Amino acid sequence: MSGDKLAQMANQIATFFSVQPGDRALAVAAHINDNWSPPMRAGLLAQIAAGGAGLDPLVVEAGPEIRPAPAG
């Protein structure tokens, strides 16, 4: 999946959780961890590590809580 598509999807998740009560970054990370495949999470984490261009700040904030793909 392209980085642009991952960013679009992650940003939509951040938009949804941005108006929810509680720890919004943790909610974004939990949703991504529960619903995204390991390759998708790895792609998103690579985007965050590269500076997070195009990503909602809430997605970047959630980065440390997103589980990386298992080592193979």
Side-chain angles (χ1 to χ4, degrees), residues 1-3 6-7 36-50 55 66-69:
M1 184 171 293
S2 77
L6 291 173
W36 285 28
S37 68
M40 291 171 67
R41 293 194 314 266
L44 180 61
L45 289 171
Q47 284 185 272
I48 292 170
L55 292 173
I66 296 172
R67 286 191 309 266

Side-chain angles (χ1 to χ4, degrees), residues 25-61:
L26 191 58
V28 169
H31 182 85
I32 290 171
N33 287 332
D34 290 345
N35 296 289
W36 285 28
S37 68
M40 291 171 67
R41 293 194 314 266
L44 180 61
L45 289 171
Q47 284 185 272
I48 292 170
L55 292 173
D56 186 291
L58 191 53
V59 175
V60 175
E61 185 181 342

Side-chain angles (χ1 to χ4, degrees), residues 13-14 16-30 58 61-62:
I13 294 165
F16 174 80
F17 284 109
S18 69
V19 295
Q20 303 298 316
D23 187 334
R24 294 179 296 274
L26 191 58
V28 169
L58 191 53
E61 185 181 342

